[in-house]
Amino acid sequence: MNIAFIGLGRMGWHIAAHLMRAGHSLSVYDVSSKLTADWAKAFAGRAGISVADTVIGAECVMTSLPADAALQSVWDMAQSTLAPGAIWVDHSTTSAEIAKRLATAARVQGRYFIDAPVSGGTIGAEKGTLAIMAGADEAACTVVEPLMTAYAQRASLIGPPGAGQLTKMSNQICVAGIGQALAEGLAFAEHHGLDPRKVLDVMLKGSSTSWMMENRAQTMIDGKFDFGFSTTLMRKDLGLVMEEAHRADVSLPVTALVAQLLSDVSAMGLASADWCSLMQRQRRAQSGD
Ligand code: NAD
């Protein structure tokens, strides 16, 4: 299939690479011309010179962008050259509002827009084991599902447009609380002079185990945060969650607290570090600094 891929960051770089290896024809673009050129050189794809140029002839457009503003801007720039009938798969984490709005606009134009945020982190993108949660019309999803097998272990159509983003928000609500709980539990063990590695080892066999504990607790103990999902992006995700909760008049006390704690983490100079640097905030709070 002819695919235009836009946004070659920590996630998009790998997703596009899997699609190329699966035999698709890719035209790629990132606002960073260096990333565009590096990717095209590494995987022998076509480097687009603009969004409008990149989507020419594409049956499917895929995006992996930071947030709503970038998605809206790329969408607007693609309109002049986007083919009739094209299917747009957005792997960014955005608001459900923009997903619903673009799906409606696409339908009017005879095109499709699928909100398809992902979970599984940069490791999942690299290994091709992401989980995709989609909101879309079933017909469009059926066409692109075979593409997703190149980089995802599961792609689930949850409901109509917007349902993918609402599912991702549910995921982030769960993950946020677990991240802070891990920081508290591990820092508590350290504070009492226990060896956190031994504590972790036994907890992994007990009732508090989770993906987060399996994949992040060790790096939290080691104080390694130069990888993964940035504090800035997690704050963006929780901001989307809190806006949606406000709109629906739903109270999310734990999520609201973690969002506040993450702004402290940013203020500590850890905005681009993995968001599990919540551990450093907890350590600092416990040492009384
Ligand atoms: P990233 O910042 O590394 O990548 C985003 C890319 O988009 C960058 O290369 C940037 O230059 C490019 N970009 C920004 N504006 C653009 C524009 N107008 N036109 C073209 N390119 C543009 O972010 P990421 O970590 O790859 O995340 C991408 C999306 O996936 C985000 O919405 C994020 O919330 C979500 N996500 C990330 C992870 C993760 O672990 N990193 C996990 C799940 C979901």
Side-chain angles (χ1 to χ4, degrees):
M1 193 181 263
N2 287 328
I3 300 171
F5 200 104
I6 300 170
L8 299 167
R10 289 191 242 199
M11 301 296 282
W13 178 279
H14 297 296
I15 298 174
H18 285 298
L19 287 162
M20 195 76 186
R21 288 190 205 103
H24 300 289
S25 167
L26 263 78
S27 196
V28 299
Y29 179 77
D30 193 286
V31 74
S32 152
S33 50
K34 179 173 171 7
L35 272 181
T36 309
D38 286 353
W39 193 97
K41 192 172 170 208
F43 301 102
R46 182 174 90 86
I49 54 169
S50 65
V51 171
D53 170 61
T54 307
V55 304
I56 292 171
E59 299 157 273
C60 176
V61 176
M62 290 197 180
T63 37
S64 177
L65 297 163
D68 287 30
L71 174 61
Q72 184 68 57
S73 147
V74 168
W75 172 269
D76 291 343
M77 286 191 269
Q79 294 310 304
S80 59
T81 48
L82 190 59
I87 302 178
W88 190 303
V89 179
D90 180 38
H91 286 316
S92 324
T93 302
T94 69
S95 68
E97 291 307 301
I98 194 171
K100 289 181 209 166
R101 186 157 44 75
L102 297 188
T104 303
R107 200 175 301 125
V108 170
Q109 301 162 344
R111 299 172 179 141
Y112 296 95
F113 178 90
I114 301 175
D115 54 297
V118 301
S119 179
T122 47
I123 295 178
E126 197 172 349
K127 290 188 174 165
T129 56
L130 291 170
I132 300 174
M133 37 210 92
D137 297 334
E138 201 166 346
C141 238
T142 309
V143 176
V144 294
E145 236 179 305
L147 300 179
M148 296 175 175
T149 56
Y151 54 91
Q153 60 180 328
R154 176 180 289 249
S156 302
L157 176 61
I158 307 293
Q165 295 298 349
L166 291 173
T167 304
K168 175 74 184 183
M169 289 178 204
S170 307
N171 184 78
Q172 297 306 73
I173 291 167
C174 299
V175 161
I178 295 171
Q180 175 59 16
L182 274 176
E184 291 182 19
L186 295 171
F188 177 88
E190 286 176 354
H191 190 74
H192 286 81
L194 307 179
D195 179 346
R197 286 168 188 79
K198 281 189 181 169
V199 173
L200 172 60
D201 194 45
V202 71
M203 289 199 302
L204 280 167
K205 304 285 180 291
S207 59
S208 61
T209 191
S210 63
W211 185 98
M212 284 289 291
M213 188 182 280
E214 283 170 11
N215 292 279
R216 291 291 180 270
Q218 191 61 56
T219 48
M220 290 168 83
I221 292 169
D222 295 343
K224 284 191 186 151
F225 304 109
D226 56 346
F227 71 103
F229 189 55
S230 71
T231 301
T232 299
L233 281 181
M234 190 56 168
R235 287 183 71 197
K236 179 257 307 188
D237 285 9
L238 297 191
L240 293 171
V241 168
M242 295 314 297
E243 274 171 32
E244 191 62 48
H246 181 69
R247 197 173 295 123
D249 200 17
V250 170
S251 161
L252 300 174
V254 173
T255 310
L257 176 62
V258 177
Q260 177 55 46
L261 299 179
L262 283 171
S263 61
D264 298 348
V265 173
S266 275
M268 287 167 63
L270 294 165
S272 8
D274 184 62
W275 70 281
C276 292
S277 46
L278 273 169
M279 181 77 185
Q280 303 305 78
R281 198 214 65 89
Q282 189 66 26
R283 280 178 171 138
R284 183 184 278 196
Q286 283 189 188
S287 69
D289 288 355

